[in-house]
Amino acid sequence: MSDLFNFSAGPAMLPKEVMQQAREELLNWNNTGVSVMEFSHRDPAYVKMARQAEQDLRDLLNITDDYEVLFLQGGGRGQFSAVPQNIAAKSATVDYLDTGIWSGYAIREAAKYVSKVNVAGGCLETGKGKAIAPQEQWQLSDNAAYFHYCTNETVDGIALHTPPAGIEAPLVADMSSNILSEPLDVSKFGIIYAGAQKNIGPSGFAIAIVKKDLLGEPQPELSSIMDYQLQAKDGSMYNTPNTFAWYLSGLVFQWLKRQGGLAGIGQLNQQKAQLLYDYVDQSEFYRNEVHPDYRSIMNVPFQLADDSLDQKFLQEAAAAGLIGLKGHRFVGGMRASLYNAMPIAGVQTLIDFMDQFQRKL
Ligand SMILES: *Cc1c(COP(=O)(O)O)cnc(C)c1O
């Protein structure tokens, strides 16, 4: 099975080296004779590993001491309700960009907890494809408790590559599908959060990077396990964390450091995406409908000229060892997710397959 490439959007492929290490130490972690899954999260050896994982993440992203780094449960969507309940009052207005399917979910969840969710802007069609409306067109509220957007829309393949400047409200970003994919200036954000299963580790786990000065009075009904202040006070161990996911994420952070950190992996990610977009753009048979300035580096949706061939494409791709290419059920077509763990050889193999597929028709 060594030639298999997994383009799944999430849970997604993890670095092979990390998976091999996890397998080797699965039954005997740290020379203890037991699995990391069988360890108490209060055990000094486990705590040491957990704190090292936090430090490695801080190193990768240059996170300063004025931010909490929280390891939480409930995936990306758990944060859709945690954010408003932690940093907005029930009477608050909050601003959201609506740029795709995940933004839509975040907006509908937030609406349960605050008096007004103002959709400040969204996408528009241009002659060069689908784009995010320029910032001059956004309708911001006065005194919004925060401004939320999704940096990378996993389903739609649309990304806002630079954080908006000059917004008064703290920026809150859902980075579930592009965190750790390129260098990032954390200091521009109030909160960054991400479900783990795209670029970090196993699903059900989430990371929140929260500026300390945003933590004041949470909404009274906020569940304790989602309470940023409480979790920060207890080192993200208010309740039993997902100990295995934390461990595996830690291995991924160390792997990332070995790849030259975010600068190193960022360059490779650019190269991978460029290869695939260039191929799609020169092709008469495949197309991507996103404006070049807003194309995702992580998730590349593409359509076949004749969608009655979709099934055949997927079957033959799987037979060639290329799996997970089916587009999201809401949008159809294909999607190749090129997260950090996808080697460039995977992209090259995909392009060769796509080329042969359309030549044979
Ligand atoms: C996958 C994803 C989520 C949801 O993550 P869950 O862990 O399934 O809750 C949220 N936002 C974005 C951008 C995602 O890609």
Side-chain angles (χ1 to χ4, degrees):
M1 301 298 275
S2 59
D3 291 323
L4 204 85
F5 293 110
N6 177 5
F7 294 90
S8 169
M13 87 180 278
L14 289 164
K16 202 169 191 175
E17 225 176 283
V18 166
M19 299 306 269
Q20 279 163 342
Q21 184 180 348
R23 180 180 63 187
E24 272 158 35
E25 54 195 35
L26 185 65
L27 301 184
N28 179 12
W29 177 65
N30 218 5
N31 282 322
T32 56
V34 294
S35 172
V36 67
M37 272 185 272
E38 301 165 314
F39 251 83
S40 165
H41 58 298
R42 309 282 179 208
D43 186 286
Y46 186 87
V47 171
K48 184 170 172 227
M49 180 283 297
R51 296 278 77 91
Q52 184 62 49
E54 177 185 338
Q55 188 56 51
D56 288 335
L57 181 63
R58 284 184 178 272
D59 294 347
L60 284 165
L61 283 163
N62 287 317
I63 303 171
T64 47
D65 286 344
D66 48 341
Y67 286 83
E68 303 285 2
V69 172
L70 305 175
F71 294 85
L72 303 167
Q73 298 173 55
R77 282 196 190 205
Q79 298 307 306
F80 291 176
S81 56
V83 165
Q85 286 188 289
N86 271 284
I87 66 161
K90 285 186 187 183
S91 58
T93 297
V94 294
D95 284 346
Y96 276 66
L97 274 194
D98 185 2
T99 52
I101 284 176
W102 285 112
S103 292
Y105 284 129
I107 288 167
R108 291 191 293 281
E109 190 71 8
K112 297 178 186 172
Y113 302 101
V114 295
S115 79
K116 187 172 178 208
V117 177
N118 169 53
V119 175
C123 289
L124 41 80
E125 289 301 334
T126 73
K128 288 162 87 183
K130 196 170 170 183
I132 295 174
Q135 193 172 339
E136 310 86 78
Q137 294 180 16
W138 299 352
Q139 306 281 328
L140 300 173
S141 323
D142 298 328
N143 299 318
Y146 60 84
F147 174 92
H148 179 285
Y149 76 110
C150 178
T151 47
N152 183 73
E153 288 283 358
T154 321
V155 174
D156 313 78
I158 284 197
L160 193 59
H161 292 293
T162 38
I167 293 193
E168 251 168 73
L171 297 186
V172 176
D174 177 359
M175 297 197 185
S176 293
S177 53
N178 72 336
I179 193 164
L180 299 174
S181 66
E182 60 189 352
L184 176 74
D185 183 356
V186 171
S187 72
K188 295 208 155 70
F189 294 88
I191 298 178
I192 292 166
Y193 66 85
Q197 69 273 25
K198 279 86 184 218
N199 240 351
I200 298 174
S203 61
F205 192 53
I207 283 170
I209 301 163
V210 182
K211 194 151 195 214
K212 288 177 183 169
D213 66 12
L214 289 178
L215 297 176
E217 243 170 273
Q219 294 186 13
E221 295 84 1
L222 171 63
S223 130
S224 298
I225 65 163
M226 287 297 187
D227 184 328
Y228 293 155
Q229 269 171 306
L230 200 55
Q231 286 286 12
K233 184 167 76 58
D234 287 344
S236 302
M237 294 188 186
Y238 169 76
N239 68 320
T240 314
N242 184 335
T243 56
F244 185 75
W246 195 326
Y247 150 81
L248 202 87
S249 303
L251 296 188
V252 170
F253 301 151
Q254 286 171 5
W255 174 83
L256 267 174
K257 282 183 155 180
R258 296 196 297 275
Q259 311 311 303
L262 300 190
I265 205 77
Q267 242 180 351
L268 187 65
N269 286 332
Q270 285 290 344
Q271 246 182 312
K272 281 156 32 183
Q274 193 69 51
L275 274 176
L276 186 50
Y277 283 121
D278 283 351
Y279 175 73
V280 166
D281 284 346
Q282 60 76 48
S283 152
E284 303 270 296
F285 185 72
Y286 302 103
R287 66 180 194 283
N288 168 279
E289 291 169 344
V290 180
H291 186 294
D293 294 348
Y294 296 93
R295 284 174 168 178
S296 165
I297 304 301
M298 295 280 100
N299 311 96
V300 181
F302 60 91
Q303 278 77 37
L304 276 53
D306 174 0
D307 64 12
S308 73
L309 293 170
D310 284 4
Q311 230 15 57
K312 181 175 155 72
F313 180 94
L314 288 166
Q315 272 166 10
E316 292 185 15
L322 304 164
I323 63 168
L325 285 165
K326 191 171 174 12
H328 189 277
R329 62 190 193 281
F330 291 174
V331 296
M334 307 299 154
R335 171 176 47 169
S337 294
L338 313 178
Y339 299 123
N340 289 347
M342 176 60 66
I344 200 155
V347 181
Q348 279 154 346
T349 309
L350 173 62
I351 292 170
D352 289 346
F353 168 79
M354 289 166 72
D355 205 45
Q356 278 166 25
F357 181 83
Q358 57 100 22
R359 277 174 206 281
K360 273 191 318 195
L361 291 173

